[in-house]
Amino acid sequence: MRLINGKTRLYCLIGDPVQHSLSPIIHNAAFEKLNINAVYLAFNVSKGNLKKAVDGLRSLNVAGFNVTMPHKVSILSLLDRIDSLAEKIGAVNTVKNVDGKLVGYNTDGIGALEALKRNGVKLEGKKVAIVGAGGAGKAIAFALAQQLEKFGGEITIFNRTVEKAVWLEKSLTETFDVKVKGLKLSDLNLKNELKNVDILINATSVGMYPSTGKTPVSKNLIKPNMVVFDVIYEPLKTRLLTEAEKRGAKIVRGVDMLVYQAAKAFEIWIKKKPPIKEMFKAALRTLKSSKEL
Ligand code: ATR
């Protein structure tokens, strides 16, 4: 157990709900491993209390915090500075207190790219399909477009509410020099488009506990040479990933994105190499001990 004293710095999560968040587990494991005099707590902050909570965090001079639903967008107007990628995405999940100024970042998309990279997936010139244009889909699409702009590639976005996919297509093509298509999520569109796709990413909540029998993409559309990445980490292996693995595809689990987005936040705050192994161990221990999985 670390010693908590007068110099202990506070990091925290604000959101509603936060009780089941793994962020405190992951960050405290990292602080402990590197012997950093800091603690990470989760605070339930309702929509109406966001401004008061942020004012409070400023007054207390907390070192940094994460932001989760439903505040990832509304937090923007309460910050002093916003990193350019977070600004483009229009959502912040990490805030750093820099000499009293609150600076916002978004590590969700970068975390997803890091998860792919650490699993040996190369993005250069790849055709990527993202299913889902909500918060996670948007963050991944922007981070990906920023990367693909450098070395070529294509992004197709599918969403149940087609307007969001079309908006994302427009917004990405306006911002980056990259080929993007936004389509309605339908079996026919998936069938037509997935033929030449190298990387398939599920960024919807379809298949998430307790609806573990569901999948956003039917198994006959998955090819053995595809990489299939699911942002869902509960269950650790979704139906989509189980079926993809059976088809011979390479899979990347949502828990990897969860840990790498936390690792990126840790790096921003602490400016030290995050202890990835300990962060993974802590997340997996908690997920596996959850009886339902
Ligand atoms: P997150 O921040 O986790 O991405 P979100 O912003 O609420 O959460 O987005 C959820 C995503 O899952 C959206 O793309 C949503 O589609 P809509 O934009 O049409 O709502 C998608 N989604 C949720 N349930 C779905 C379902 N049953 N079928 C298809 N897509 C679904």
Side-chain angles (χ1 to χ4, degrees):
M1 185 67 190
R2 278 164 296 150
L3 174 73
I4 292 173
N5 58 21
K7 292 183 188 154
T8 305
R9 299 305 310 271
L10 173 65
Y11 292 85
C12 65
L13 169 69
I14 55 170
D16 186 12
V18 294
Q19 287 80 357
H20 298 290
S21 166
L22 291 178
S23 295
I25 305 268
I26 296 172
H27 285 292
N28 284 313
F31 291 153
E32 194 136 343
K33 176 67 187 171
L34 298 190
N35 220 355
I36 290 163
N37 191 1
V39 289
Y40 187 110
L41 298 175
F43 295 116
N44 208 100
V45 174
S46 65
K47 266 189 181 170
N49 275 334
L50 180 64
K51 182 165 180 340
K52 273 197 260 173
V54 173
D55 285 345
L57 294 172
R58 273 183 198 275
S59 308
L60 297 175
N61 197 29
V62 302
F65 55 95
N66 283 129
V67 184
T68 189
M69 299 248 286
H71 307 311
K72 283 188 180 186
V73 177
S74 35
I75 189 81
L76 266 83
S77 62
L78 302 172
L79 302 176
D80 300 301
R81 242 178 27 235
I82 295 153
D83 154 81
S84 73
L85 181 62
E87 180 129 54
K88 284 171 190 150
I89 298 168
V92 158
N93 78 327
T94 300
V95 177
K96 182 177 184 169
N97 181 344
V98 184
D99 303 324
K101 300 274 182 230
L102 297 183
V103 186
Y105 300 84
N106 190 309
T107 68
D108 287 331
I110 313 165
L113 299 195
E114 187 71 13
L116 287 165
K117 200 171 117 192
R118 299 271 191 143
N119 280 280
V121 181
K122 299 252 183 321
L123 297 172
E124 286 92 339
K126 294 289 164 65
K127 199 170 167 193
V128 185
I130 303 174
V131 182
K138 220 163 78 171
I140 295 172
F142 272 91
L144 194 59
Q146 197 177 50
Q147 284 294 306
L148 294 186
E149 187 179 47
K150 293 183 205 149
F151 33 65
E154 269 177 65
I155 305 172
T156 309
I157 299 145
F158 302 89
N159 201 55
R160 176 177 62 180
T161 312
V162 68
E163 290 78 10
K164 283 200 222 166
V166 171
W167 176 88
L168 200 46
E169 172 190 319
K170 189 168 170 285
S171 174
L172 287 170
T173 39
E174 274 171 11
T175 318
F176 303 102
D177 182 17
V178 64
K179 232 169 121 182
V180 185
K181 200 154 54 172
L183 298 170
K184 163 110 186 122
L185 176 61
S186 73
D187 287 342
L188 185 65
N189 279 342
L190 285 173
K191 191 164 177 264
N192 289 336
E193 297 291 327
L194 291 189
K195 279 180 203 139
N196 307 311
V197 156
D198 304 298
I199 303 168
L200 167 66
I201 303 173
N202 174 42
T204 73
S205 48
V206 180
M208 190 191 288
Y209 176 84
S211 305
T212 51
K214 298 210 168 112
T215 181
V217 178
S218 71
K219 62 181 175 199
N220 54 351
L221 299 178
I222 296 164
K223 313 242 164 357
N225 59 350
M226 266 183 188
V227 173
V228 180
F229 170 27
D230 201 329
V231 306
I232 294 170
Y233 55 84
E234 256 179 312
L236 277 168
K237 214 186 268 177
T238 55
R239 179 176 162 189
L240 174 69
L241 292 185
T242 305
E243 291 180 346
E245 202 167 42
K246 277 196 192 138
R247 302 278 291 181
K250 182 183 182 69
I251 64 163
V252 178
R253 297 182 307 175
V255 68
D256 290 28
M257 172 174 163
L258 173 75
V259 170
Y260 289 119
Q261 64 77 26
K264 287 284 165 193
F266 183 93
E267 247 179 270
I268 290 168
W269 291 330
I270 313 289
K271 289 193 173 151
K272 278 192 180 159
K273 202 165 163 264
I276 295 287
K277 224 164 83 186
E278 275 66 29
M279 295 171 100
F280 257 109
K281 255 198 254 168
L284 288 170
R285 197 187 312 123
T286 311
L287 286 167
K288 283 179 180 160
S289 70
S290 160
K291 266 197 239 73
E292 300 88 0
L293 295 174

